[in-house]
Amino acid sequence: MVIKVFLASSSGSTAIKKKQQDVVGFLEALKVDYTQLDIACNEENRMWMRQNVPVDKKPTNGIPLPPQIFNEDSYCGDYDTFFDAKEDNSVYAFLGLPPPPGSKEAEQAAKVLGVENGTPAEEPKADGSVDASAEVPVEERNGDAHGEEEQAADEEEVEGEGEGGEEEDVADEETAGDEALAEEEEEAVEETDEQANAQEEDEQEEADEDRDEEAEVQEDEEEEEEEEEEEDMEETQEEEAE
């Protein structure tokens, strides 16, 4: 089986170039045999790629972009599906290849196979030994497990009571703190209102004083005007008498 990677050697898109480099670099790191097929310089490669990408995998415009990956004539996927398989440690399954022994993907496949067959694989401990519970009869394991479950339930109940008391204390402290904070806010609002009222009173007094001063100035001006008018009338009368 040959893995085919369709690339564009002269693509003007930086994003496409980076995706192609990621795919090729990861395949080389895994030592997977693959063949690069250039669609920029070979029209046959371009047409073959477009014709063999499934319709439901093509973009809305119907033209798939590189990189596109095939196993012989079987379509594997594009960069996005390759990246998802890489994140899930399932690249070999994505490529339709058997994972090499000892790889993470092979271990995962063995676990899945064991679960499906009803005999999950035993995982060795750090020292190489196997869990002894695997050799204990099911009835005994269930009995021990039942006793451990009852003990754990009792411990959880005791811890729950202790935690419940602590939660109540914390709730009381939070309530007291909220009340104190509310009182402080009310006092601050009252002080602010008092300051605002005092400022309004001062401004009102200043406005009243200004009005009084303006009234006095206006009266003085009116008196001066009256005096001047009287003087003018007297002078006029004297001139007429002469």
Side-chain angles (χ1 to χ4, degrees):
M1 292 182 290
V2 178
I3 302 300
K4 300 177 181 179
V5 182
F6 287 84
L7 309 172
S9 60
S10 59
S11 173
S13 171
T14 304
I16 290 178
K17 288 181 179 179
K18 184 179 183 303
K19 291 177 180 180
Q20 294 177 163
Q21 292 173 356
D22 289 345
V23 172
V24 171
F26 195 73
L27 292 178
E28 290 179 351
L30 293 179
K31 297 181 180 179
V32 174
D33 292 333
Y34 70 96
T35 300
Q36 295 187 33
L37 299 173
D38 190 2
I39 66 172
C41 301
N42 190 311
E43 186 65 21
E44 291 182 1
N45 291 338
R46 182 197 300 270
M47 297 304 297
W48 192 95
M49 182 194 78
R50 291 184 178 181
Q51 292 173 358
N52 287 274
V53 172
V55 176
D56 59 335
K57 302 298 182 181
K58 292 181 179 180
T60 54
N61 62 4
I63 301 176
L65 298 176
Q68 298 290 336
I69 305 166
F70 289 80
N71 183 337
E72 294 291 351
D73 295 339
S74 299
Y75 182 68
C76 298
D78 58 5
Y79 173 79
D80 292 334
T81 51
F82 175 84
F83 181 83
D84 292 339
K86 176 182 173 183
E87 292 295 312
D88 296 337
N89 290 323
S90 59
V91 173
Y92 288 98
F94 167 81
L95 297 173
L97 300 175
S103 64
K104 291 183 179 180
E105 191 169 343
E107 293 175 359
Q108 291 178 355
K111 290 180 181 179
V112 172
L113 182 61
V115 171
E116 290 177 351
N117 293 335
T119 55
E122 298 176 5
E123 297 183 0
K125 297 182 180 179
D127 57 359
S129 61
V130 179
D131 190 355
S133 62
E135 300 177 358
V136 178
V138 176
E139 293 80 7
E140 295 183 10
R141 288 206 306 272
N142 292 340
D144 293 342
H146 184 65
E148 292 176 356
E149 289 176 358
E150 290 182 350
Q151 183 178 358
D154 295 337
E155 292 177 355
E156 288 179 359
E157 184 176 355
V158 173
E159 292 177 357
E161 292 177 356
E163 292 176 356
E166 293 177 358
E167 290 177 356
E168 290 178 358
D169 295 339
V170 172
D172 294 338
E173 292 177 358
E174 291 180 351
T175 303
D178 293 339
E179 292 176 354
L181 181 60
E183 291 177 359
E184 291 178 358
E185 290 179 352
E186 290 178 0
E187 292 177 357
V189 170
E190 290 176 357
E191 291 179 359
T192 303
D193 293 340
E194 291 176 358
Q195 292 176 356
N197 293 333
Q199 185 176 358
E200 289 180 359
E201 291 176 357
D202 294 340
E203 291 177 353
Q204 186 64 37
E205 290 178 359
E206 291 179 358
D208 293 339
E209 292 176 356
D210 293 338
R211 282 198 299 272
D212 293 339
E213 290 179 358
E214 289 178 357
E216 290 178 359
V217 170
Q218 187 174 0
E219 288 178 0
D220 294 339
E221 290 178 351
E222 288 177 355
E223 288 177 358
E224 289 178 358
E225 288 178 357
E226 288 177 358
E227 290 177 357
E228 289 178 356
E229 288 178 358
E230 290 176 357
E231 290 177 356
D232 292 339
M233 289 178 63
E234 289 176 358
E235 290 178 357
T236 302
Q237 289 174 358
E238 289 176 358
E239 290 177 353
E240 290 178 354
E242 293 176 355

